[in-house]
Amino acid sequence: MVTGRNASCKNVDKVLEELSDGCDICLEMRDVTPLLLIENGDQYYVNVRGIIDRLRLLDVQTLVQSRFGVECARLFKVIIDFKYIGERQLGEICLMNLNEVRQCLYTMMNENYLEVQEIPRSVDRDPHRTYYAWYVPWIALHEKVLCSMYNCLGNLLERKQLILTKQEELSTQLPTSKSKAGQRENLDAQLQMANNALAKVQVAITKLLHQIMLHRDF
């Protein structure tokens, strides 16, 4: 017979096991980030570093997809999983022909999202007998992502200021147009458009600030 206390302990053990799922898998092979890590067999602590790294990774993958497209994002994810991988392997895994793979890889490399490591198979370093392994330069890419976010934030703040200036100009014109109904309606419509644009820009700024906080402050 299971008592209430024993049942409660079993439930706790089950929850802890689920939250620490993936701890027994090699770090290079797992695709699940455990929320808890185990120390000394029976002590649990929150995997803060792993969770933050996973969030950063997902954010960068989203950025890659929005910037380069779905095919590049798929290649990027496979490169992350394998750390170092060749073009032919990428094509086989992602079901893409070699020309498409190369086009995507070099597009991302030109933007410094990827780098390639030359691994010569002969002493003379013959290019035809050299293996080219693609990888993600995380440190440089992280700095690039942050720099891009700062530039984007600057553009958004500039855009916000322009909208505020436009709102102020429209607001000053409203009292002088009371006698002209058509002009008043036109000004009201422009002011509403400016308000909508300002709301969208503010949402984008807030979201971007959260992303900057994730990549800079943790």
Side-chain angles (χ1 to χ4, degrees):
M1 181 176 181
V2 180
T3 64
R5 180 178 177 82
N6 290 335
S8 177
C9 290
K10 287 188 176 182
N11 290 334
V12 171
D13 291 340
K14 182 179 179 181
V15 172
L16 290 174
E17 183 179 350
E18 291 176 352
L19 292 176
S20 59
D21 183 34
C23 289
D24 56 341
I25 304 175
C26 180
L27 180 62
E28 288 77 10
M29 297 177 62
R30 71 181 179 214
D31 193 35
V32 177
T33 300
L35 299 181
L36 297 180
L37 295 179
I38 307 173
E39 191 175 73
N40 299 328
D42 59 351
Q43 297 180 0
Y44 293 84
Y45 62 95
V46 179
N47 183 20
V48 177
R49 182 74 268 157
I51 294 171
I52 292 173
D53 288 343
R54 173 61 66 175
L55 291 174
R56 285 178 174 176
L57 172 60
L58 294 175
D59 193 55
V60 172
Q61 286 182 237
T62 302
L63 177 62
V64 169
Q65 180 169 336
S66 63
R67 187 176 183 86
F68 302 107
V70 177
E71 290 79 9
C72 289
R74 189 160 70 246
L75 292 171
F76 189 83
K77 185 179 186 306
V78 173
I79 294 172
I80 291 173
D81 292 339
F82 281 81
K83 302 297 187 293
Y84 290 85
I85 188 172
E87 297 172 354
R88 295 187 183 279
Q89 291 173 288
L90 281 170
E92 293 173 358
I93 294 172
C94 297
L95 302 178
M96 298 170 60
N97 65 57
L98 194 56
N99 289 334
E100 291 176 337
V101 170
R102 286 174 176 169
Q103 183 177 359
C104 288
L105 291 176
Y106 283 102
T107 298
M108 288 189 284
M109 186 178 71
N110 290 336
E111 295 286 337
N112 299 319
Y113 280 78
L114 294 178
E115 289 186 5
V116 61
Q117 175 70 49
E118 298 181 2
I119 305 175
R121 296 179 178 176
S122 58
V123 179
D124 59 357
R125 306 180 73 88
D126 184 358
H128 297 289
R129 288 184 290 177
T130 298
Y131 181 78
Y132 297 93
W134 292 85
Y135 68 98
V136 178
W138 274 116
I139 296 178
L141 179 57
H142 186 248
E143 294 177 355
K144 175 182 175 61
V145 167
L146 262 179
C147 184
S148 298
M149 288 180 179
Y150 285 135
N151 291 335
C152 184
L153 180 61
N155 293 334
L156 286 172
L157 291 174
E158 184 178 355
R159 176 62 178 166
K160 179 181 178 180
Q161 187 58 48
L162 290 174
I163 296 174
L164 290 173
T165 302
K166 182 67 174 178
Q167 281 182 321
E168 185 177 353
E169 293 176 355
L170 292 172
S171 298
T172 56
Q173 295 176 26
L174 285 176
T176 62
S177 60
K178 290 182 179 179
S179 59
K180 301 178 181 179
Q183 185 178 0
R184 177 59 184 259
E185 291 178 0
N186 184 41
L187 289 173
D188 286 339
Q190 292 184 49
L191 188 58
Q192 184 60 44
M193 290 177 59
N195 291 337
N196 294 339
L198 181 62
K200 292 180 180 179
V201 169
Q202 189 58 53
V203 169
I205 290 174
T206 302
K207 181 179 179 181
L208 189 56
L209 287 174
H210 290 163
Q211 289 179 287
I212 291 175
M213 179 180 64
L214 172 64
H215 289 274
R216 182 193 63 189
D217 298 335
F218 292 99

